[in-house]
Amino acid sequence: MLGSTGSIGVNTLDVIARHPGRFEVFALAAATRVDELLAQCERFRPRFAVMASPPHAAALADKIRRNSLPTHVLSGPDAMETIASHEDVDAVMAAIVGAAGLGPCLAAARAGKRLLLANKEALVVGGEFFMTAVRRGGATLLPIDSEHSAIFQALPEDPASWSRRIDKIILTASGGPFRTRAPGTLATVTPEEACAHPNWVMGRKISVDSATMMNKALEVIEARHLFGVAPAQIEVVIHPQSVVHSMVQFCDASVMAQLGTPDMRVPIAVGLGWPERLESGAGRLDFRQLAALTFEPPDAARFPGLQLAWEALEAAPGTPAVLNAANEVAVEAFLARRLAFDRIHAVNLATLEAVPTSSPASLADLLALDAQARATAAEAVARLAA
């Protein structure tokens, strides 16, 4: 479980706990939340626990010893790749936020694991390079994002038939907390307002991405690689109720949609149990209580970053990695109150314009491009925040 103390990790462990005897937690990994990871180790008693940095690992190891737990503590990116590819591991939940999750995801893919992908950046940054690793390693890739899980559930089980059946993929978006807010007032948005999602309980970074709809831009890129469709075959619509999680329109004009309550335990249970269905703990839809299901086009003035998805997909293969890195830097600056909310898009755009296009051929190339984009984005933040 990579990213066990985040919202996806907590929900995954909740689903696992509902099925005693079916799953064993081999390893848990987190970034900085020592006490939360300790509590998870006390409950699930994994063989390994991994912290992102040595100081946090040392703090956890001390608590593990004092509580006489059987868990061995490791630290760093190499340790995360080790547990993700370990021979005793059958499935890997990849829920590390950002490009930091790419290395462990690649390790799991190359080792042929069942990879439950909640880290959209692995596909956004890795692109075809990552998908090649999945194919060569014989891994089973199952999307955990609610939108991509919905598409996966709506498609036939034979991926070889998708290209001749799919006419269009329709990603739904809630519109976030600012769907009806005047664009001219977005400069004064606070981190607290941006993180107050009307439908979903999520981490701070993805909550901000939802407020800007950059999460949907990243999901467009992700869908292109997951389902092998052309960028022009992907559409985004705003669906404020978050009941229809996404749709597939087929070549005969029929549409298949996956519906459910806005609860991440549903796609998590799909990934854990596929091709079976598992109890998730989520509430059931009561159609008698649904007043309406509405759909509307995204407002380009309010969500200017959305169009960058299609532009990045039409550019050099490394362009989505640049966009992702720029957005991570910009969102971090906004959450730290160093950048206005409405300047996030400006940072992303300035970084895309400044970083030369490229075609990464290795993980080292991708990481170098990511570092270059982050440095450029940091410069843009300093300039735009002045």
Side-chain angles (χ1 to χ4, degrees), residues 220-253:
V220 167
I221 297 169
E222 188 180 6
R224 184 262 177 276
H225 293 294
L226 276 171
F227 305 111
V229 296
Q233 290 178 279
I234 306 171
E235 180 181 319
V236 173
V237 297
I238 298 223
H239 170 52
Q241 295 82 22
S242 294
V243 171
V244 177
H245 297 305
S246 276
M247 299 169 275
V248 179
Q249 180 172 290
F250 293 94
C251 58
D252 61 1

Side-chain angles (χ1 to χ4, degrees), residues 1 9 36 173 182 255 259 276 288 350:
M1 176 68 243
E36 288 91 333
V255 177
L259 286 72
E276 299 178 39
R288 297 167 299 180

Side-chain angles (χ1 to χ4, degrees), residues 112-346:
K113 305 302 183 184
R114 172 184 286 226
L115 181 54
L116 313 181
L117 191 66
N119 170 279
K120 61 172 59 70
E121 291 85 359
L123 266 173
V124 173
V125 176
E128 187 54 34
F129 176 76
F130 177 74
M131 291 304 296
T132 298
V134 170
R135 289 190 293 270
R136 289 179 177 173
T140 300
L141 184 62
L142 298 172
I144 301 301
D145 267 354
S146 63
E147 296 82 1
H148 301 93
S149 176
I151 295 163
F152 178 78
Q153 293 177 64
L155 288 170
E157 289 192 10
D158 176 20
S161 70
W162 292 353
S163 61
R164 67 176 184 270
R165 296 190 185 201
I166 297 173
D167 178 57
K168 181 167 57 175
I169 283 174
I170 304 166
L171 294 170
T172 57
S174 69
F178 309 132
R179 181 177 65 87
T180 60
R181 181 162 170 164
T185 69
L186 294 177
T188 61
V189 164
T190 66
E192 291 74 23
E193 290 174 318
C195 291
H197 196 282
N199 299 338
W200 296 94
V201 177
M202 304 183 293
R204 282 163 60 82
K205 194 269 181 183
I206 194 172
S207 294
V208 175
D209 282 347
S210 180
T212 63
M213 276 191 72
M214 271 304 301
N215 71 320
K216 212 54 53 178
L218 300 180
E219 287 169 13
V220 167
I221 297 169
E222 188 180 6
R224 184 262 177 276
H225 293 294
L226 276 171
F227 305 111
V229 296
Q233 290 178 279
I234 306 171
E235 180 181 319
V236 173
V237 297
I238 298 223
H239 170 52
Q241 295 82 22
S242 294
V243 171
V244 177
H245 297 305
S246 276
M247 299 169 275
V248 179
Q249 180 172 290
F250 293 94
C251 58
D252 61 1
S254 64
V255 177
M256 296 287 286
Q258 187 266 334
L259 286 72
T261 51
D263 190 322
M264 283 305 300
R265 289 177 296 179
V266 174
I268 288 167
V270 170
L272 285 170
W274 184 85
E276 299 178 39
R277 292 278 179 169
L278 302 181
E279 168 59 40
S280 67
R284 270 51 176 173
L285 273 183
D286 184 349
F287 286 92
R288 297 167 299 180
Q289 300 298 316
L290 290 177
L293 299 179
T294 62
F295 303 89
E296 61 194 59
D299 181 352
R302 186 177 286 105
F303 305 116
L306 182 59
Q307 185 57 35
L308 293 178
W310 289 272
E311 295 176 9
L313 284 171
E314 296 294 346
T319 307
V322 174
L323 175 59
N324 177 76
N327 186 62
E328 286 191 22
V329 170
V331 170
E332 181 182 9
F334 165 70
L335 288 171
R337 306 181 194 275
R338 294 187 290 108
L339 184 73
F341 179 82
D342 67 340
R343 306 304 280 168
I344 293 174
H345 175 62

